């Protein structure tokens, strides 16, 4: 039994560690403070003392969704980064990869999540969804179908939806950046 | 006739020759035994009278571990489990009987082992590992985990690593971790702060099967897709304010009905009530023989660590029984950037009237750590964060505050910075 302690003596680099904070918290502090600065994305913490729950605002400056202001909620569990953050769109939007309940189809949020990925990767992924909506992974099938068939018609409807318009019986939320 | 020296029984065994076989290992060194090994009565006395071992989990692995330890001669065993016995446990959790259904696993397991192996004391605790603090864990020599939860393991690992105090050799508690998933399993020996810890290998875990959300939404092909559709998409839509309780049969029934209807619509077969429960609770079928192999490996390691009769596993044993039987042992290395055992702790003497800004300045001037733009927190409370802008702005007023207003002498601050590959722990020593 005492053998272990003599190992310790030989090990010069062994350092004392007192993690009174959880590994999830440390990792989150690192992820958040090292987020890149994006000119089209900002984070908002309703309770700044609570780093586990925050919102992300995306204001695309090009593409179909230019001029819109999109809101996402991030919920991070104490098992982060073993589990990915839960991300939902807070508005009803017309997007091939976002359904009307706010579910988002982004591979790194589910099946391709790995603990080596970080919040920055998710932000980049979400931003990309607004620049290049992906018709191959539809959550809103009609929107995806339209994007595949007729990009111009899709562009018109995306723009209409952002103004709070109705498309094929569904009324979308007004999400324009300027009132 | 050769010289026969009879082993002295320490203490009196529960039945004649009880330790005959175990004693062969303890009465003479073997070819790879450590030179520090003290054979005979001393080591037996330690194993049978002094060594205190903690078993976490009294489920599939736990039952095997408890039985093995008791039969090997560990006499002071403690066990923690927060679950009660379910009828589905009885096929492999062999310390339980039908009459025990509904009772706490830890208590029933302890009573069973004590009644079958006289001379063994098993002390149960029916509750969570998080209910106990360092002073509780400090009483043990060894900890064996037979858990099915990543979160509980991470907690236990971080607690044992955090307890290590270089001034006190007793504070180093080896953690033996067993885990199984169907026909696969692993056993590992973690010597906190010396060998790779559980957190170091977090990215090696088998990932549970997760289906792309668009497949679930649009192109289901498997019964699992229909069940995930019901739990991931339908439940939050229909009950936006109600959390699903996977232990509640009514909730499972609701999911099962929705999933069945969807399966019918897409002409998919195989949605059953038990599959529904299995998918939403992420149940991987437990295989009794995998548990037995992994528990045996864990207990052998506990025996070797407690007695030094043979070198311990270094440090990761992997069993893959899916196609034939394959096993592999390797040394998993510590990750310098591990948030639990990696990083560095440095002492920083500071003056009480220093501001936080002055501390950050002093920190960035240190040649030994080379940190730029550090963010600091104390016990999960943000002191100063460099980003994102909202949090920077909010924590900026702290820069002007005196350290004595923000922290106490001996507090440990978590420092992160993009220039640091790992996190740094800063112990502030307040001076007048
Ligand atoms: Zn580690």
């Amino acid at each position: 039994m005492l053998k272990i302690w003599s190992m310790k003596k030989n090990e010069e680099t062994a350092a004392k560690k007192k993690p009174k904070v959880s590994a999830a918290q440390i990792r989150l502090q690192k992820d958040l403070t090292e987020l890149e600065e994006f000119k089209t994305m900002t984070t908002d913490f309703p309770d700044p003392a609570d780093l586990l729950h925050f919102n992300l605002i995306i204001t695309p400056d090009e593409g179909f969704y230019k001029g819109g202001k999109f809101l996402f909620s991030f919920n991070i569990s104490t098992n982060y980064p073993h589990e990915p953050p839960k991300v939902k769109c807070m508005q009803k939007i017309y997007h091939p990869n976002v359904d009307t309940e706010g579910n988002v189809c982004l591979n790194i949020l589910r099946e391709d999540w790995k603990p080596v990925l970080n919040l920055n990767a998710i932000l980049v992924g979400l931003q990309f969804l607004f620049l290049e909506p992906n018709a191959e992974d539809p959550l809103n099938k009609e929107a995806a179908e339209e994007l595949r068939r007729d990009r111009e018609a899709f562009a018109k409807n995306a723009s209409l939806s952002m103004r709070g318009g109705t498309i094929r019986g569904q009324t979308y939320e007004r999400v324009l950046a300027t009132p | 006739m050769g010289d026969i020296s009879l082993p002295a029984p320490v203490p009196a065994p529960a039945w004649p020759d009880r330790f005959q076989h175990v004693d062969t290992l303890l009465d003479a060194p073997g070819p790879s035994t450590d030179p520090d090994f003290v054979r005979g009565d001393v080591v037996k006395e330690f194993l049978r009278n002094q060594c205190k071992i903690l078993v976490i989990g009294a489920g599939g692995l736990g039952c095997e571990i408890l039985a093995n330890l008791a039969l090997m001669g560990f006499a002071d065993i403690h066990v923690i489990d927060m679950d009660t016995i379910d009828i589905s446990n009885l096929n492999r959790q062999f310390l339980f009987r039908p009459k025990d259904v509904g009772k706490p696993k830890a208590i029933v397991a302890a009573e069973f082992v004590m009644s079958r192996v006289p001379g063994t004391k098993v002390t149960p605790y029916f509750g969570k590992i998080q209910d106990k603090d360092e002073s509780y864990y400090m009483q043990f020599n060894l900890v064996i985990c037979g858990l099915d939860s990543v979160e509980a393991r991470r907690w236990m690992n971080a607690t044992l690593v955090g307890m290590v105090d270089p001034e006190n050799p007793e504070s180093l508690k080896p953690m033996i971790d067993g885990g199984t998933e169907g026909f696969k399993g692993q056993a590992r020996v973690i010597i906190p702060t010396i060998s790779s810890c559980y957190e170091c290998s977090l990215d090696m875990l088998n990932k549970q099967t997760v289906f792309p959300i668009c497949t679930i939404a649009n192109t289901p092909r498997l019964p699992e897709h229909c069940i995930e559709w019901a739990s991931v998409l339908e439940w939050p839509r229909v009950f936006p304010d109600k959390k699903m309780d996977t232990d509640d049969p009514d909730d499972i029934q609701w999911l099962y009905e929705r999933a069945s209807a969807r399966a019918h619509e897409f002409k998919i077969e195989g949605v059953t009530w038990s599959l529904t429960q299995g998918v939403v609770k992420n149940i991987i079928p437990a295989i009794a023989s995998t548990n037995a192999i992994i528990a045996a490996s864990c207990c052998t390691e506990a025996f070797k660590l407690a007695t030094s009769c043979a070198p311990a596993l270094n440090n990761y044993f992997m069993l893959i029984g899916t196609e034939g039987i394959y096993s592999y042992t390797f040394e998993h290395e510590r990750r310098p950037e591990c948030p639990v055992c990696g990083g560095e702790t440095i002492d920083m003497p500071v003056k009480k009237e220093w501001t936080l800004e002055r501390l950050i300045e002093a920190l960035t001037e240190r040649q030994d750590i080379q940190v730029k733009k550090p963010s600091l927190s104390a016990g999960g409370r943000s002191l100063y964060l460099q980003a994102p802008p909202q949090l920077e702005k909010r924590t900026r007023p702290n820069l002007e505050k005196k350290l004595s207003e923000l922290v106490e002498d001996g507090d440990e601050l978590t420092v992160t910075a993009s220039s640091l590959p790992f996190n740094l722990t800063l112990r502030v020593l307040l001076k007048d």
Side-chain angles (χ1 to χ4, degrees):
Chain A
M1 191 66 223
L2 300 172
K3 183 65 197 149
I4 299 153
W5 199 248
S6 54
M7 274 170 69
K8 178 83 185 169
K9 282 186 206 136
N10 302 337
E11 181 73 51
E12 278 175 23
T13 55
K16 188 192 167 193
K17 272 302 264 103
K18 284 255 172 207
K20 287 187 191 77
V21 274
S22 71
Q25 274 176 309
I26 297 175
R27 181 45 206 273
L28 196 55
Q29 178 178 324
K30 193 157 173 63
D31 272 21
L32 281 171
T33 53
E34 290 168 29
L35 276 179
E36 272 173 63
E37 278 196 45
F38 299 97
K39 60 181 193 307
T40 56
M41 285 190 279
T42 49
T43 48
D44 173 53
F45 292 76
D47 173 6
D50 176 9
L51 301 184
L52 296 170
H53 303 96
F54 61 91
N55 300 322
L56 174 75
I57 300 130
I58 306 182
T59 45
D61 58 0
E62 54 183 311
F64 300 117
Y65 295 96
K66 186 177 169 181
K69 183 177 172 186
F70 302 93
L71 200 65
F72 288 83
S73 66
F74 277 63
N75 284 294
I76 295 169
S77 84
T78 51
N79 213 6
Y80 183 74
H82 178 63
E83 281 172 18
K86 284 193 170 60
V87 178
K88 282 219 164 194
C89 180
M90 316 266 286
Q91 304 142 323
K92 185 172 169 185
I93 63 169
Y94 184 70
H95 191 295
N97 311 109
V98 181
D99 72 11
T100 50
E101 301 297 319
N103 296 296
V104 184
C105 189
L106 180 63
N107 62 340
I108 56 172
L109 285 177
R110 270 178 75 83
E111 68 274 17
D112 291 331
W113 172 256
K114 291 190 258 308
V116 293
L117 293 170
N118 58 17
L119 288 177
N120 213 63
I122 294 179
L123 262 58
V124 171
L126 286 173
Q127 173 168 257
F128 190 71
L129 278 187
F130 284 93
L131 299 180
E132 282 295 332
N134 174 3
E136 303 309 314
D137 294 329
L139 266 185
N140 182 335
K141 262 201 288 194
E142 289 177 344
E145 190 50 39
E146 186 176 63
L147 172 63
R148 191 169 21 221
R149 249 191 6 251
D150 184 348
R151 284 180 78 89
E152 249 171 66
F154 175 81
K156 264 190 201 147
N157 274 336
S159 162
L160 174 64
S161 74
M162 291 196 291
R163 283 176 276 135
T166 301
I167 300 157
R168 293 182 286 271
Q170 287 273 9
T171 304
Y172 291 89
E173 212 168 311
R174 188 184 153 90
V175 293
L176 292 181
T178 46
Chain B
M1 254 179 60
D3 191 7
I4 301 164
S5 63
L6 290 173
V10 183
W15 57 84
D17 299 331
R18 176 179 169 189
F19 291 125
Q20 187 191 339
H21 299 292
V22 173
D23 283 348
T24 10
L25 298 167
L26 301 180
D27 283 326
S32 17
T33 305
D34 192 272
D36 292 350
F37 173 64
V38 183
R39 66 175 162 179
D41 292 351
V42 174
V43 66
K44 291 178 201 171
E45 159 71 16
F46 178 76
L47 177 66
R48 292 164 199 167
N49 276 334
Q50 290 173 23
C51 187
K52 212 170 186 181
I53 186 163
L54 174 64
V55 178
I56 299 174
L61 273 170
C63 283
E64 300 270 358
I65 290 170
L66 288 167
N68 291 347
L69 292 178
L71 292 169
M72 284 170 135
F74 285 90
D76 190 357
I77 305 170
H78 289 237
V79 59
I80 301 185
D81 196 299
M82 60 181 282
D83 279 342
T84 52
I85 297 160
D86 186 80
I87 192 155
S88 65
N89 301 147
L90 300 182
N91 72 327
R92 62 191 185 283
Q93 300 180 18
F94 54 82
L95 304 176
F96 311 139
R97 298 291 174 266
K99 68 173 168 50
D100 301 322
V101 168
K103 294 183 193 161
K105 289 184 177 181
I107 294 170
V108 176
E111 281 167 4
F112 191 103
V113 171
M114 284 196 284
S115 71
R116 282 293 282 272
V117 192
T120 309
K121 196 174 105 202
V122 186
T123 312
Y125 175 70
F126 170 44
K128 290 186 185 166
I129 51 174
Q130 290 88 345
D131 297 344
K132 302 287 189 183
D133 60 14
E134 290 193 0
S135 61
Y136 171 83
Y137 291 107
M138 202 56 101
Q139 66 179 305
F140 301 103
N141 298 102
L142 282 167
V143 177
I144 301 192
C145 292
L147 288 160
D148 56 5
S149 139
V150 172
E151 204 165 353
R153 281 196 184 93
R154 287 179 74 188
W155 189 89
M156 198 63 246
N157 174 68
T159 301
L160 293 178
V161 172
M163 272 164 55
V164 176
D165 174 359
E167 307 299 313
N168 174 17
E170 297 288 305
S171 67
L172 188 73
K173 315 287 181 191
M175 167 169 153
I176 301 161
D177 180 51
T180 67
E181 256 190 17
F183 288 100
K184 295 180 191 165
Q186 86 281 334
R188 55 191 298 194
V189 171
I190 294 167
I191 313 285
T193 71
I194 294 178
S195 64
S196 147
C197 81
Y198 185 74
E199 192 80 20
C200 286
S201 58
L202 207 57
D203 53 2
M204 268 182 64
L205 288 178
N206 285 330
K207 274 187 53 177
Q208 67 181 86
T209 319
V210 182
F211 304 105
I213 202 159
C214 33
T215 305
I216 298 168
N218 295 308
T219 51
R221 296 178 310 276
L222 301 171
E224 288 85 351
H225 293 158
C226 302
I227 296 165
E228 289 256 299
W229 172 81
S231 66
V232 176
L233 297 173
E234 277 298 274
W235 182 280
R237 190 180 67 80
V238 179
F239 307 110
D241 300 316
K242 194 173 141 208
K243 214 171 170 273
M244 188 194 308
D245 177 3
T246 56
D247 287 324
D248 184 343
D250 291 343
D251 288 7
I252 301 288
Q253 181 66 25
W254 187 90
L255 296 172
Y256 165 62
E257 285 167 14
R258 291 288 167 127
S260 298
R262 182 156 173 96
H264 184 76
E265 186 189 332
F266 285 88
K267 301 191 172 51
I268 295 166
E269 286 183 16
V271 173
T272 61
W273 201 92
S274 69
L275 183 71
T276 307
Q277 189 193 35
V279 169
V280 297
K281 292 184 81 169
N282 186 33
I283 298 173
I284 293 142
I287 309 290
S289 54
T290 313
N291 283 339
I293 296 169
I294 295 302
S297 171
C298 290
C299 294
T300 308
E301 294 313 318
F303 186 84
K304 290 191 289 185
L305 286 167
T307 63
S308 301
C309 72
L313 168 71
N314 184 24
N315 50 31
Y316 203 118
F317 163 77
M318 198 182 239
L319 170 77
I320 299 166
T322 39
E323 290 157 65
I325 294 182
Y326 173 76
S327 80
Y328 180 60
T329 299
F330 66 99
E331 182 177 351
H332 189 278
E333 294 197 359
R334 271 180 81 184
R335 262 194 325 129
E337 71 276 20
C338 171
V340 171
C341 76
E344 274 181 58
T345 300
I346 54 170
D347 284 336
M348 186 101 175
V350 295
K351 290 219 162 72
K352 269 184 182 160
E353 62 270 23
W354 274 15
T355 59
L356 183 63
E357 191 164 26
R358 177 77 185 80
L359 169 71
I360 291 176
E361 238 176 68
L363 186 64
T364 47
E365 280 164 7
R366 280 182 72 137
Q367 288 301 311
D368 53 341
I369 38 182
Q370 304 273 333
V371 60
K372 275 178 224 132
K373 297 189 113 197
S375 294
L376 289 86
S377 65
R381 185 167 45 95
S382 307
L383 293 179
Y384 182 67
L385 303 183
Q386 302 275 354
Q390 184 199 2
L391 297 183
E392 192 279 331
K393 198 173 156 200
R394 175 166 160 113
T395 51
R396 202 185 304 153
N398 283 344
L399 290 176
E400 308 296 317
K401 286 190 189 157
K402 281 187 183 161
L403 286 178
S404 53
E405 295 172 50
L406 295 169
V407 294
E408 289 185 22
D409 184 40
D411 271 3
E412 292 181 352
L413 311 186
T414 302
V415 180
T416 59
S418 48
S419 58
L420 285 176
F422 50 82
N423 66 286
L424 181 75
T425 306
L426 201 69
R427 199 171 4 210
V428 286
L429 308 171
L430 290 184
K431 302 266 181 281
D432 283 317

